[in-house]
């Protein structure tokens, strides 16, 4: 340890190459490398000198160590869930964002954010700096607005303002906000056996129309119609409340849905569903099967003689409720009160009534 005058020494050293290492007291850091300071601040706040070669009988007397009270740089990077440019109550950090403290000699430190929005560089040497923000995959900077996000950039990389900082000073940088864009991709196919899985002999379907209709007036309606390859894709979609419209080709309805995350229902030729697309949603391999529907019709009656046959004088059972269940998934396909005659569109595979 150093004495009360800050002196230290190592004696009786054999010839060789050495370096100094030091853990500073809390609240202190090493000054700039120079004639009277051999310590270089490491990423963890410790100090380490360059290698020093000692020859036989040589004394090295310039191993000075300069200490300072470091500066502190504070900031926040928030995940703008509602894409309004402001850090609203409950919004956390944009996980995976890398914040780099860039000085006159390059990078002076970096922090990778978790779910906490706040970050702090607490061992900053006096100098001139700026912060570089690198958003995670699918990340973009949200709108720059008063009282909210101040950072802009391209390809998920942005630069903050330049500032100069002195020993012991605390600098609070402007707010940075980002969000993750969403992707939805998949294929429409002819699900000839109604299984909900695309088998090797089943082919793509052209003419399936999918539209994403936003609530916000500043966002466009996104529409795609499948071609011969059956593929559809929506990329870089912003978070919002959407109406999802799905229209099958003429005479087709949607088949069973295996592993489909899109909020659509089976057995419908066209449908519109309202839903909220969360920031960063990644729905891939959405296989939408199309089938030509069948019809199941029948009559319920009062079997007064208990023979399983409807006699000409046996009355219909009106007002009862009948439920059609998917025998594979157990899902309810249709239900309702019976009229004198009833029917429902269906597709191949098993059902329970």
């Amino acid at each position: 340890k150093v004495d009360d005058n800050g002196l230290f020494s190592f004696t009786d050293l054999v010839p060789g190459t050495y370096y100094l290492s030091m853990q500073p007291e809390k609240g202190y850091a090493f000054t700039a490398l120079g004639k009277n300071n051999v310590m270089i601040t490491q990423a963890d706040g410790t100090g380490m000198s360059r290698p020093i070669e000692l020859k036989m009988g040589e004394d090295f007397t310039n191993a000075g160590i300069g200490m300072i009270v470091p500066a502190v740089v504070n900031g926040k990077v928030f995940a703008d869930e509602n894409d309004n440019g402001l850090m609203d109550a409950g919004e956390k950090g944009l996980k995976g964002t890398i914040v780099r403290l860039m000085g006159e000699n390059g990078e002076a430190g970096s922090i990778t954010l978790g779910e906490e929005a706040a970050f702090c560089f607490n061992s900053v040497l006096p100098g001139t700096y700026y912060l570089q923000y690198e958003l995670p995959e699918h990340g973009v900077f949200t709108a720059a607005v008063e009282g909210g996000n101040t950072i802009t950039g391209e390809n998920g990389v942005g630069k903050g303002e330049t500032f100069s900082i002195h020993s012991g000073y605390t600098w609070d940088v402007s707010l940075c906000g980002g969000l993750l864009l969403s992707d939805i991709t998949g294929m429409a196919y002819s699900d000839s056996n109604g299984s909900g899985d695309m088998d090797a002999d089943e082919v793509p379907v052209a003419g399936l129309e999918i539209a994403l209709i936003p609530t916000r007036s500043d966002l466009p309606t996104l529409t795609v119609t499948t071609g011969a390859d059956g593929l559809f894709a929506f990329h870089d979609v912003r978070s919002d409340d959407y109406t999802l419209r799905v229209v099958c080709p003429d005479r087709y309805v949607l088949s069973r849905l295996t592993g489909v995350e899109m909020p659509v229902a089976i057995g419908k030729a066209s449908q519109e569903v309202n839903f909220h697309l969360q920031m960063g949603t990644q729905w891939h391999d959405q296989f939408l099967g199309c089938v030509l529907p069948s019809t199941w019709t029948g009559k319920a009656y009062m079997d007064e003689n208990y023979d399983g046959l409807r006699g000409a004088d046996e009355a219909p059972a009106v007002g009862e409720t009948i439920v059609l269940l998917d025998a594979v998934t157990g899902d309810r396909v249709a239900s309702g009160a019976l009229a004198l005659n009833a029917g429902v569109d269906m597709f191949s595979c098993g059902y329970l009534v």
Side-chain angles (χ1 to χ4, degrees):
K1 285 193 172 184
V2 298
D3 63 19
D4 293 340
N5 295 315
L7 298 176
F8 65 92
S9 65
F10 298 95
T11 59
D12 300 327
L13 299 176
V14 299
T17 301
Y18 301 86
Y19 65 87
L20 296 177
S21 177
M22 179 177 172
Q23 176 67 57
E25 295 291 334
K26 185 177 181 180
Y28 290 89
F30 301 99
T31 188
L33 187 66
K35 180 178 179 181
N36 298 119
N37 175 53
V38 299
M39 282 296 187
I40 302 172
T41 301
Q42 306 299 302
D44 61 358
T46 61
M48 184 176 294
S49 72
R50 292 195 177 105
I52 300 169
E53 183 178 358
L54 290 179
K55 298 178 181 178
M56 185 174 62
E58 180 181 20
D59 293 328
F60 186 79
T61 59
N62 291 321
I65 299 175
M67 307 291 294
I68 61 168
V69 176
V72 175
V73 176
N74 295 316
K76 291 182 179 180
V77 179
F78 69 97
D80 193 10
E81 295 279 355
N82 58 5
D83 196 11
N84 68 352
L86 300 172
M87 186 174 182
D88 299 308
E91 290 184 331
K92 300 181 180 181
L94 187 56
K95 186 176 181 180
T97 299
I98 300 174
V99 184
R100 301 187 191 276
L101 179 65
M102 306 300 293
E104 297 168 356
N105 298 315
E107 184 178 318
S110 66
I111 295 173
T112 300
L113 267 63
E115 293 188 350
E116 291 295 324
F119 63 86
C120 177
F121 294 95
N122 56 13
S123 298
V124 182
L125 301 180
T128 300
Y129 298 91
Y130 68 88
L131 293 181
Q132 179 172 295
Y133 300 90
E134 300 174 9
L135 304 183
E137 186 180 8
H138 307 295
V140 294
F141 295 99
T142 189
V145 299
E146 184 177 355
N149 173 52
T150 62
I151 306 300
T152 60
E154 295 182 356
N155 301 318
V157 179
K159 176 182 176 181
E161 74 271 21
T162 299
F163 58 92
S164 295
I165 200 166
H166 306 287
S167 175
Y169 191 76
T170 297
W171 184 271
D172 293 319
V173 299
S174 300
L175 194 60
C176 174
L179 58 90
L180 302 179
L181 300 178
S182 299
D183 294 325
I184 303 173
T185 64
M187 174 185 284
Y189 69 99
S190 178
D191 190 16
S192 57
N193 59 7
S195 67
D197 294 308
M198 186 175 182
D199 300 318
D201 60 343
E202 293 177 333
V203 297
V205 165
L208 179 77
E209 179 186 320
I210 305 175
L212 287 174
I213 306 168
T215 301
R216 286 167 47 184
S217 61
D218 61 317
L219 296 179
T221 294
L222 305 174
T223 303
V224 64
T225 301
T226 59
D229 59 5
L231 297 176
F232 62 87
F234 298 95
H235 293 297
D236 299 336
V237 184
R238 301 184 85 93
S239 174
D240 192 27
D241 293 322
Y242 286 89
T243 297
L244 172 64
R245 183 175 66 225
V246 179
V247 180
C248 294
D250 186 36
R251 299 186 300 119
Y252 281 88
V253 299
L254 283 187
S255 179
R256 288 186 175 86
L257 303 167
T258 301
V260 174
E261 297 164 286
M262 296 170 63
V264 291
I266 67 175
K268 294 186 176 183
S270 65
Q271 56 187 295
E272 289 190 353
V273 182
N274 297 324
F275 77 106
H276 178 72
L277 183 65
Q278 292 187 337
M279 180 189 77
T281 295
Q282 296 295 312
W283 289 339
H284 296 290
D285 298 327
Q286 304 294 287
F287 284 89
L288 302 182
C290 297
V291 293
L292 294 173
S294 304
T295 301
W296 184 346
T297 62
K299 293 182 179 180
Y301 63 96
M302 303 301 299
D303 190 13
E304 296 177 1
N305 58 8
Y306 196 58
D307 65 353
L309 299 174
R310 184 183 182 187
D313 58 344
E314 291 179 330
V318 180
E320 301 292 336
T321 298
I322 185 170
V323 178
L324 185 67
L325 301 176
D326 188 321
V328 176
T329 66
D331 295 334
R332 178 177 294 200
V333 177
S335 65
L338 286 174
L340 291 178
N341 295 284
V344 60
D345 286 340
M346 306 164 58
F347 45 89
S348 61
C349 275
Y351 294 89
L352 298 173
V353 177

